[in-house]
Amino acid sequence: METHENLLAGPPPTRLPDLPEAREALESGVQASDVAARFPAYPAAWATLADEYFTSGHAVTSYAFARTGYHRGLDQLRRAGWKGHGPVPWEHEPNRGFLRCLHALCRAATAIGEKDEAERCMQFLKDASPEAAEVLGSR
């Protein structure tokens, strides 16, 4: 019996690889700036920096950190087979850094009055992971 892929189902979910050394450093309390310097391709470090600076009232700096993590995450998504659309599941822990950067970029863009960018980022987040949009939107 021959099986065929459902072409109407859309692209499969993209799951980023884990970076255990970077994740463990961040989880153990190493400063996010040190983790980002040592592991610049690790979006969770950039997301943490974006969150820290936004909370401290530095929206422009938060925007810059979020933008960096977003682009590093896009690079990883493409290497993982992502073609510019499709699910990036929140439940897959290594995806969370990228999704957090996308949310942080939206939040900082809103804060500095960049409405079109904020709307684009929010739509991207909702399309990539409705669960992430819900979880992160409630923070």
Side-chain angles (χ1 to χ4, degrees), residues 43-130:
W46 297 106
T48 300
L49 286 166
D51 290 345
E52 289 172 358
Y53 276 81
F54 191 83
T55 300
S56 297
H58 301 281
V60 171
T61 305
S62 176
Y63 183 96
F65 285 134
R67 174 73 63 193
T68 300
Y70 165 78
H71 281 288
R72 297 311 295 257
L74 283 177
D75 292 342
Q76 290 180 20
L77 283 169
R78 289 182 185 113
R79 281 193 299 274
W82 186 75
K83 304 289 187 217
H85 66 286
V88 182
W90 173 257
E91 63 270 8
H92 182 66
E93 182 70 33
N95 289 351
R96 290 185 180 187
F98 169 75
L99 295 166
R100 287 177 52 218
C101 283
L102 188 53
H103 175 263
L105 188 55
C106 174
R107 179 186 60 204
T110 298
I112 65 173
E114 195 175 4
K115 183 180 180 219
D116 290 346
E117 178 70 354
E119 289 173 358
R120 184 190 69 78
C121 289
M122 183 51 67
Q123 190 60 55
F124 185 0
L125 182 61
K126 288 176 181 178
D127 291 345
S129 176

